[in-house]
């Protein structure tokens, strides 16, 4: 669902402007993580109610909400836009599914059609198109970036209470749950603060990715080395820094994927690359879940110091990949589509399409509007 939504947003917005939208969508994960930390304290008090343990009540209620929301999306989530005047032909099983309302009508639909022409041209693709996406070197650099930040994010999410307990063994279960919630609130704040600027200066995705990752590294080092048994709170401050640094990194990677593959490979490239980056990148969560923290039994005696240092190493690889990606995109061409790197055009079935929205990119986005550029 996550890569699918990243691709879905490119149906309505230019790829270079999806960072903020992906960030807003991704805040659901942070709100969920924060809420779980808060409400799990209440669920713990439900142990034994009607013969169920507290976490069983949590799974039942969360599962019920997910089912209701999933069914409602059939009515609520609009299909991809159609050219003005064209009606959707419903065949097969589609006839029996509820029809959602169009996202755009009237003048809005006309403006969108002129601004994002590529959306209205359905691409023809085959296995060779998919293979070209797989062998594209950009995919693997984005994978390493995603691998690092998701591995750290899932590791912190799964073992925040374990880390907190190592910081101060006197914390109760309820206190551990309550203290984990602010980590994800910091994550949420960072998403809302950083992703709009990453869109505004979208030619500089690399720095917008690397700086938050450096904040994560600083937070992990604080969690590992700062504070003392008498004053463990600096270590907790390190976890808050990790949460803040995590926030914008995943939305920026997915936006960079959209922005990079749309002009070179079209819709198929965006869909396939988003799925591969997200799917393969989640291997990082397997590493942090089963190889570190609780999976590294002997590291518990050291307060999980080695586990956090491994996370630092993984994040350094993500930074290196972002730097290499930035330099190669700047200095290495990729054939006739190289001019499309900044989302000024898109390739659909071999035809280069220049949208009205894409034409405005150089004038309206990035540093071109700042005073030192305007003097040139």
């Amino acid at each position: 669902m996550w890569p699918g939504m990243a691709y879905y947003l490119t149906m309505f917005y230019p790829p270079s402007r999806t960072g903020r939208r992906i960030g807003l969508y991704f805040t659901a994960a942070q709100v969920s993580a924060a809420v779980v930390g808060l409400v799990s304290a209440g669920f713990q008090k439900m142990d034994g109610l009607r013969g169920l343990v507290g976490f069983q009540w949590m799974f039942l209620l969360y599962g019920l909400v997910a089912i209701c929301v999933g069914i409602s999306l059939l009515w609520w989530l609009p299909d991809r836009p159609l050219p003005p005047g064209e009606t959707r032909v419903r065949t097969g099983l589609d006839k029996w599914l509820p029809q959602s309302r169009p996202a755009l009508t009237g003048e809005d639909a006309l403006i969108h059609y002129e601004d994002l022409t590529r959306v209205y041209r359905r691409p023809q693709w085959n296995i060779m198109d998919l293979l070209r996406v797989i062998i594209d070197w950009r995919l693997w650099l984005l994978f390493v970036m995603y691998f690092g930040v998701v591995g750290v994010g899932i590791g912190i999410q799964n073992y925040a209470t374990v880390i907190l307990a190592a910081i101060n063994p006197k914390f109760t279960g309820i206190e551990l749950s309550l203290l984990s919630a602010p980590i994800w609130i910091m994550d949420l704040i960072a998403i809302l603060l950083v992703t709009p600027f990453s869109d505004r200066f979208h030619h500089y995705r690399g720095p917008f990715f690397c700086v938050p990752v450096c904040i994560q590294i600083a937070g992990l080092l604080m969690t590992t080395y700062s504070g003392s048994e008498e004053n463990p709170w600096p270590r907790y401050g390190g976890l808050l820094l990790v949460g803040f640094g995590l926030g914008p990194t995943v939305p920026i990677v997915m936006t960079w994927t959209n922005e990079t593959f749309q002009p070179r490979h079209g819709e198929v490239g965006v869909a396939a690359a988003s799925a591969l980056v997200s799917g393969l990148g989640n291997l990082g969560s397997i590493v942090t879940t089963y190889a570190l923290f609780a999976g590294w039994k002997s590291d518990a005696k050291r307060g999980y110091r080695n586990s956090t240092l491994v996370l630092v190493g993984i994040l350094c690889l993500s930074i290196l990949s972002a730097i290499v990606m930035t330099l190669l995109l700047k200095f290495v061409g990729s054939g006739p589509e190289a001019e499309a790197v900044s989302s000024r055009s898109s390739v659909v079935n071999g035809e280069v399409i220049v949208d009205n929205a894409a034409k405005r990119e150089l004038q309206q986005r990035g540093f071109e509007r700042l005073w030192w550029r305007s003097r040139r």
Side-chain angles (χ1 to χ4, degrees):
M1 182 176 178
W2 165 231
M5 285 302 297
Y7 162 70
Y8 175 78
L9 288 172
T10 64
M11 299 290 99
F12 300 93
Y13 303 99
S16 60
R17 304 186 188 185
T18 56
R20 178 186 177 191
R21 280 84 184 182
I22 291 176
L24 290 174
Y25 166 73
F26 193 59
T27 56
Q30 279 60 49
V31 172
S32 175
V35 169
V36 165
L38 294 172
V39 302
S40 63
F43 281 117
Q44 290 179 52
K45 294 184 177 294
M46 296 176 65
D47 283 342
L49 183 62
R50 296 187 177 276
L52 297 177
V53 183
F55 76 87
Q56 292 176 315
W57 279 109
M58 183 174 68
F59 287 169
L60 284 173
L61 294 177
Y62 271 67
L64 180 62
V65 171
I67 291 172
C68 293
V69 172
I71 294 175
S72 69
L73 289 179
L74 294 173
W75 284 270
W76 177 74
L77 198 64
D79 289 324
R80 67 180 296 154
L82 293 175
E86 183 176 323
T87 57
R88 196 177 306 277
V89 179
R90 308 182 71 192
T91 59
L93 182 62
D94 194 36
K95 292 182 179 179
W96 305 100
L97 295 175
Q99 187 170 5
S100 59
R101 298 178 60 183
L104 303 165
T105 57
E107 186 178 359
D108 290 339
L110 289 172
I111 294 174
H112 189 269
Y113 178 70
E114 295 174 357
D115 272 8
L116 290 179
T117 308
R118 61 170 177 78
V119 172
Y120 298 88
R121 302 200 180 187
R122 291 181 177 272
Q124 302 296 322
W125 65 278
N126 53 42
I127 192 65
M128 293 304 298
D129 296 310
L130 183 59
L131 181 61
R132 278 191 285 271
V133 174
I134 294 174
I135 64 176
D136 193 321
W137 55 266
R138 302 165 191 85
L139 175 74
W140 302 104
L141 291 174
L142 291 164
F143 153 68
V144 175
M145 293 163 57
Y146 194 94
F147 180 94
V149 295
V150 168
V152 173
I154 298 299
I156 297 298
Q157 183 175 1
N158 288 342
Y159 296 110
T161 54
V162 175
I163 298 171
L164 288 169
I167 291 174
N168 188 350
K170 297 180 181 179
F171 287 144
T172 65
I174 293 177
E175 287 174 336
L176 292 173
S177 298
L178 294 175
L179 286 171
S180 66
I183 299 173
W184 307 110
I185 295 174
M186 294 292 290
D187 196 310
L188 172 64
I189 293 172
I191 291 175
L192 298 178
L193 287 177
V194 176
T195 53
F197 288 101
S198 73
D199 274 358
R200 179 65 181 84
F201 306 113
H202 67 92
H203 294 294
Y204 300 87
R205 298 287 185 194
F208 275 106
F209 174 83
C210 291
V211 171
V213 176
C214 288
I215 293 175
Q216 293 179 54
I217 292 175
L220 288 170
L221 293 176
M222 281 183 61
T223 303
T224 305
Y225 294 107
S226 67
S228 61
E229 293 183 2
E230 294 75 19
N231 182 23
W233 294 109
R235 298 179 183 175
Y236 179 65
L239 284 178
L240 295 180
L241 276 181
V242 173
F244 188 87
L246 277 170
T249 52
V250 171
I252 286 174
V253 172
M254 299 307 295
T255 303
W256 210 356
T257 302
N258 292 346
E259 197 173 25
T260 302
F261 281 82
Q262 175 64 60
R264 293 180 174 85
H265 300 280
E267 287 185 21
V268 175
V270 173
S274 297
L276 289 169
V277 169
S278 177
L280 295 176
N282 276 306
L283 293 174
S285 64
I286 297 177
V287 172
T288 56
T289 299
Y290 297 104
L292 305 179
F293 297 106
W296 194 344
K297 301 296 184 181
S298 61
D299 198 31
K301 300 177 182 179
R302 295 181 288 269
Y304 301 105
R305 176 172 298 183
N306 290 343
S307 294
T308 54
L309 291 178
V310 171
L311 294 183
V312 169
I314 293 174
L315 290 176
C316 289
L317 286 177
S318 293
I319 292 176
L320 179 61
S321 296
I323 294 173
V324 173
M325 179 84 167
T326 300
L327 294 176
L328 290 181
L329 286 177
K330 184 174 181 62
F331 297 110
V332 179
S334 59
E337 294 87 22
E339 296 180 357
V341 171
S342 62
S343 302
R344 285 169 283 178
S345 60
S346 180
V347 179
V348 179
N349 298 333
E351 178 185 1
V352 178
I353 298 175
V354 182
D355 303 316
N356 285 352
K359 291 177 181 178
R360 297 192 296 267
E361 284 295 320
L362 291 181
Q363 289 75 33
Q364 294 182 348
R365 314 298 287 181
F367 281 112
E368 281 76 11
R369 298 185 69 185
L370 295 183
W371 65 272
W372 62 80
R373 290 297 182 92
S374 62
R375 291 182 178 181
R376 296 182 179 179

